[in-house]
Amino acid sequence: MSGASILLPGDSVQPSRPARPVAIASVLEDAVASLALLVMVLLPLLEIVVRRAFGRGVPGSGPIVQHLTLWVGFLGAAMAARDGKLLALATGTFIPPGPWRRASDNLAAAFGAWSAIVLAWGGWQMASIEREAGTTIGAGIPTWITQIVLPIAFVLIAARLVWRRPGAVDRLLASSGIVLGVLCLLRPSLIQGHTLWPAMLIVVAAAVAGTPLFAILGGTAALLFMHDGITPGTILIETYSLSVSPTLPAIPLFTFAGFLLAEGKASERLLRVFRAFFGWIPGGTAVVCAVLCSFFTVFTGGSGVTILALGGVLFPALIKDGYRERFALGLLTASGSLGLLLPPALPLIFYAVVAQIPIQDIFIRGILPGILLTAMVAAWGVREGIVSKAGRHPFRAGEAVSSLWAAKWELAMPAIVLFAIFSGLATAVEASALTALYALVVQAFIHRDLSLRKDLPRALTECVVVIGGVLIILGVAVGLTNYLVGAQVPAKLLDWARGNITSRLTFLLVLNLFLLAVGWLMEIWAAIAVVVPLIVPLGAAFGIHPVHLGIIFIANLELGFLTPLVGLNIFLASYRFKRPVLEVCAAALPMMAILGIGVLVITYVPWLTTGLLALLGR
């Protein structure tokens, strides 16, 4: 969600140190997931070489990489549950410590465990059916072997949600979710045919209490399907179908490249080069921060890594140059989500997967809107530099050339990705693997900032945990979407829109307001999975190109990161800069207004998304 947190409420109290067998199992879990991610990098690279050398690819390479995405995603989700890093609403943190907080934390854990157990059974049903059918994914690998990670991961998540509660009483209360889940599976009549509103009230309460997002989405889908007498395995079928999508592996691979950049000193080299070229203008350091954050977010896939990785470097730099602390706080909070419209940003890839449009088209169409939003934030930085008389860095040709030479490898990354895709050298997945390899070589062997022995294992593990927290949400979200489609919600929305909205411009305004609400309530990945299938038919009915709709969609969700009180950037900045949430909200309001104007321009000036394609004749 925009109001998502990476820590479950109550996680400030840690459980006792794990026993040695548990610790060994955790190490093994990390190793298997990291190895799967490494194989995902190597197989597409081998595919490029073999295809160009022999005119044919590696047998089974594509399906194997796709199914490894399933393993990386769900083992990563289990690891995230182990470390208390499953994405959840941050509203639970507003409940003051005491009996109410303790009760809400137990409710969050119990409902999360209930959802995980129900989804585990659905995964087991699906794997059992595939085992009986005897299907394979290629290279003689049985399909059920790749699917078995689903029930395993969900069982681990349920157990860990309970185990992370401090104290025997709290664990006993949280484990009631597992017991109730088993009971509902043994006696479906407890749900089937009965009114759902009491259960939905519990879902809302659990969401506010801080239940992980996957449990809210997956649990809601399970309740709806089971109410209609349909097995929860239906949800996992959709989860499996999305997870093995041909282009989805690009998301973990680009994310891995971003983590490799974060582990090295890429941010320092890029700060130096941007400061050398832009530091002389009024507000130069602020402009540098906006551009650098935008560049970094392209490869990290979201604002979390950008704020956490760059905040410690950029915030002191702004203060040292004389910028007001409140401005610096607001600038970095907003800049953490800049770049989501620039290729190869991961939301663009996932939108293309869900909306079934060419990735190349949305990459091209996102360039001008992405530059516009970055330029608007940078322009506000120029104004601040003039008002506060902040210090500048005089332009020196020698320093500019030297810094450019030092950062040449990092600066070349976007060009390499786009060339690989648009030249036909590589598919999107192969280009993402090439980017990960390139980042590894640059950081470990050219600059030698990254140790293969110490830093690489940590980067792999942290990347898998982040990917797991995202992919499990995506997986269960498509199950909920499947129910909504089956209930003809898109058709009903279309009928309502045609009956009540007659103007294309009015529809775009209503769409913006709706997407702002979505950005307030949902994390960007879940929003894409749930909402995009509902609004694409609406956009088509009003003559809006699905790619332009995608740019509007992501721009609005980018704005949602700054939503007061619940925006993800708000909480990450509060954590990173050790400032109260309300202070961060107040500091970010001017930036939210600026980006809001930018979103309206992107919405009502379609040339920004069609101009480059027209120039390229597409």
Side-chain angles (χ1 to χ4, degrees):
M1 289 190 174
S2 275
S5 168
I6 58 174
L7 293 176
L8 289 175
D11 280 345
S12 56
V13 182
Q14 297 294 327
S16 58
R17 188 174 180 178
R20 183 173 177 82
V22 176
I24 293 174
S26 296
V27 171
L28 180 62
E29 187 178 20
D30 292 351
V32 171
S34 298
L35 179 61
L37 183 57
L38 280 176
V39 175
M40 285 181 64
V41 174
L42 295 175
L43 272 181
L45 296 173
L46 182 62
E47 181 82 11
I48 295 174
V49 174
V50 172
R51 186 173 63 243
R52 293 189 68 83
F54 302 103
R56 55 181 298 181
V58 178
S61 171
I64 290 173
V65 171
Q66 294 160 24
H67 286 79
L68 283 174
T69 304
L70 187 71
W71 274 75
V72 168
F74 282 86
L75 282 180
M79 292 159 60
R82 179 192 68 197
D83 300 339
K85 293 182 178 180
L86 286 171
L87 287 166
L89 266 180
T91 47
T93 60
F94 291 113
I95 302 173
W100 285 105
R101 176 68 171 270
R102 183 179 179 184
S104 69
D105 291 345
N106 288 333
L107 172 63
F111 187 78
W114 180 89
S115 298
I117 285 298
V118 171
L119 293 170
W121 175 247
W124 177 257
Q125 286 180 310
M126 181 178 63
S128 299
I129 292 171
E130 291 292 345
R131 184 180 183 183
E132 292 179 5
T135 58
T136 64
I137 66 169
I141 300 174
T143 302
W144 74 271
I145 291 291
T146 65
Q147 296 175 341
I148 200 66
V149 70
L150 292 170
I152 291 174
F154 280 120
V155 167
L156 285 173
I157 290 169
R160 286 165 174 171
L161 289 175
V162 171
W163 176 252
R164 287 189 63 83
R165 298 300 305 130
V169 174
D170 292 305
R171 289 174 186 168
L172 181 64
L173 292 172
S175 65
S176 64
I178 295 178
V179 175
L180 185 59
V182 172
L183 185 61
C184 289
L185 292 170
L186 293 176
R187 299 192 61 183
S189 59
L190 292 173
I191 298 176
Q192 184 177 349
H194 293 285
T195 180
L196 277 180
W197 70 263
M200 288 306 172
L201 287 178
I202 294 175
V203 172
V204 172
V208 173
T211 294
L213 294 181
F214 89 87
I216 298 301
L217 296 170
T220 300
L223 285 169
L224 292 171
F225 277 117
M226 294 172 74
H227 175 264
D228 293 347
I230 302 173
T231 171
T234 305
I235 303 170
L236 276 299
I237 293 173
E238 298 300 322
T239 300
Y240 171 72
S241 298
L242 173 71
S243 299
V244 298
S245 166
T247 52
L248 194 68
I251 291 180
L253 294 178
F254 276 128
T255 304
F256 181 44
F259 269 86
L260 292 173
L261 290 177
E263 284 291 333
K265 296 181 180 178
S267 59
E268 296 178 14
R269 284 186 290 273
L270 291 169
L271 174 60
R272 180 188 171 196
V273 69
F274 290 138
R275 177 177 273 174
F277 279 89
F278 301 109
W280 60 272
I281 63 177
T285 303
V287 172
V288 167
C289 289
V291 174
L292 180 55
C293 287
S294 183
F295 181 96
F296 213 79
T297 299
V298 167
F299 291 99
T300 57
S303 56
V305 177
T306 300
I307 291 177
L308 298 177
L310 301 186
V313 175
L314 299 183
F315 191 75
L318 287 164
I319 300 301
K320 182 179 179 181
D321 286 347
Y323 291 88
R324 292 176 301 153
E325 185 174 297
R326 180 168 176 171
F327 168 80
L329 186 61
L331 174 69
L332 294 179
T333 302
S335 298
S337 58
L338 292 177
L340 293 182
L341 288 173
L342 296 172
L346 306 186
L348 295 177
I349 296 173
F350 187 58
Y351 182 92
V353 171
V354 175
Q356 299 180 352
I357 58 177
I359 290 178
Q360 294 90 332
D361 285 359
I362 199 168
F363 274 3
I364 296 174
R365 292 196 181 209
I367 291 175
L368 291 182
I371 292 174
L372 172 69
L373 295 182
T374 302
M376 292 180 71
V377 172
W380 189 256
V382 172
R383 174 199 172 276
E384 174 66 20
I386 295 172
V387 171
S388 62
K389 296 182 173 58
R392 306 187 197 180
H393 296 263
F395 179 81
R396 295 186 177 91
E399 169 62 12
V401 172
S402 176
S403 64
L404 190 64
W405 182 256
K408 61 184 180 299
W409 300 108
E410 286 86 359
L411 291 171
M413 282 184 66
I416 289 173
V417 174
L418 295 177
F419 174 79
I421 294 175
F422 290 106
S423 68
L425 173 67
T427 64
V429 171
E430 292 166 353
S432 63
L434 189 63
T435 305
L437 175 65
Y438 180 87
L440 177 62
V441 170
V442 169
Q443 302 303 313
F445 298 105
I446 296 179
H447 293 301
R448 298 185 179 180
D449 293 333
L450 185 144
S451 168
L452 295 180
R453 190 173 181 179
K454 296 180 180 179
D455 300 328
L456 181 59
R458 182 174 63 252
L460 283 165
T461 301
E462 290 178 355
C463 177
V464 168
V465 168
V466 169
I467 288 301
V470 169
L471 288 188
I472 191 173
I473 293 173
L474 302 185
V476 298
V478 294
L480 177 59
T481 302
N482 184 47
Y483 179 87
L484 297 176
V485 171
Q488 297 184 329
V489 172
K492 293 175 182 177
L493 284 174
L494 183 58
D495 290 341
W496 178 88
R498 283 175 170 168
N500 294 274
I501 302 175
T502 57
S503 166
R504 182 173 182 270
L505 296 180
T506 304
F507 170 74
L508 287 172
L509 179 60
V510 172
L511 178 65
N512 274 318
L513 295 174
F514 171 71
L515 291 178
L516 282 176
V518 170
W520 184 66
L521 295 170
M522 280 192 176
E523 184 268 344
I524 189 169
W525 304 101
I528 294 174
V530 174
V531 178
V532 169
L534 305 181
I535 65 170
V536 167
L538 290 173
F542 285 91
I544 301 172
H545 194 284
V547 179
H548 184 207
L549 186 68
I551 300 302
I552 295 172
F553 187 96
I554 295 172
N556 275 278
L557 270 293
E558 185 174 320
L559 183 60
F561 278 113
L562 298 178
T563 306
L565 295 181
V566 295
L568 178 59
N569 282 17
I570 300 293
F571 282 92
L572 289 172
S574 174
Y575 166 78
R576 183 65 183 84
F577 304 119
K578 296 179 173 59
R579 297 293 191 279
V581 169
L582 291 178
E583 181 182 338
V584 178
C585 285
L589 282 177
M591 299 298 173
M592 185 177 182
I594 291 168
L595 291 177
I597 295 170
V599 168
L600 291 175
V601 173
I602 290 169
T603 301
Y604 290 104
V605 185
W607 183 89
L608 283 170
T609 57
T610 61
L612 281 181
L613 278 180
L615 292 175
L616 294 173
R618 300 186 62 163

